[in-house]
Amino acid sequence: MTPGPTQVADSVYHARSLRTTNPDLDPAFYDFYRDTCRLFGHLIHTENECFVLGGEGILGLEAACASLTEPGDRVLVIDNGIFGKGFADFVSMYQGNPVTWSLDYHNPLSPEKLRDYLEKDHDFKYATLVHSDTPSGLLNPVEKLCPVLKEYGILTVVDSVTGMFADELDVDAAQIDIVCGGSQKALSAPPGLTMVAVSQDAFAAMHDRKTPIRSFYANLLTFENYYKDQWFPYTMPVSDIMGIRQALENVAADPEHLKRHAKIAAATRKALTEAGLTLYLESGFASSVTVFYVPEGMKAQDILDTMVEKHHIMIAGCFDVLAGKVIRIGHMGNNANETDMIETLKALAQTLRELGFEVQADPAERFQAYMK
Ligand SMILES: *Cc1c(COP(=O)(O)O)cnc(C)c1O
């Protein structure tokens, strides 16, 4: 019950076990790959060109920065979470000039505040932001923020690795130039793939570069004409792609997918609060993960260890500035089911009692009441 990698459905494991073709040479695989990308695009509401790249979620973030950044380019890095801040490293690595705008980690950025900032300074080639920042569970309103950036002629790179398929994402309405996803979060495929959707404006910026893209593996232009040329820049991980296709079809076949995430997340927040725990965020709660403070006098690691040793349930701590401070329960993708959440909350209540915390209301019971 961690915030990714999440539990994988049997249908996805089965798809990954099927006999495979030669993905470089078989025209049928190019069709299968294109249809898989189109299904992905359909589910995130975009007409933009979509690709599935052979590499974990981080590859998408790095590929976006590698493909857009030229030496000296000013890039606005919107930092209201740990992944938000992390984009500055990719920008610097490709010799861009990141301007990190550090904000409150407990509340999302508002479009008004963004507009005020851009009034004073908007000389940026592109901006980076995170849809759903998994270490804190913060959800940024990308559908309101990205159009403001576009008004100022700034391209947008959005990390929606945990956002997509757990919370609403309409890429075309949000006018996002490059959006990145990962296989192992709310899509519930195993780790190993990143999915990206790239706008015409983003492709134009890559073609307009004065210097070449300083990467091969992270160069999005190498995929631009794969179908016309019937050529992939590297051999596609065919079993992984058969798995993600099934995972996408599972989401497509479930009209309640997002509604269930929202309901489970809301019930979890209420249940934990009534149990006497304190949530990390003040507002802007993502539906993928619930993050609460480690109760005073307790160690995060003791909570995690007891959960695994006594109850065989893995939840997560955190890293970077939140290391040791918070605990995270991931309820996205296949983890977003009532049965597993009830087991997890029962085990958490027992664990906390055992470690000396006075649980005020039974969180599993409260959760069930809110799910009715
Ligand atoms: C999981 C995740 C990624 C991918 O990072 P890994 O730590 O390699 O899994 C990127 N961005 C966000 C917001 C994520 O949640």
Side-chain angles (χ1 to χ4, degrees), residues 3-5 56-58 61 83 130 132-135 159-163 184-185 319 328 332:
E56 198 274 335
I58 289 292
L61 314 188
F83 278 99
V130 178
S132 172
D133 216 311
T134 329
D159 171 352
S160 185
V161 173
T162 290
Q184 80 276 29
K185 302 287 170 73
F319 49 93
R328 300 182 294 159
M332 65 181 110

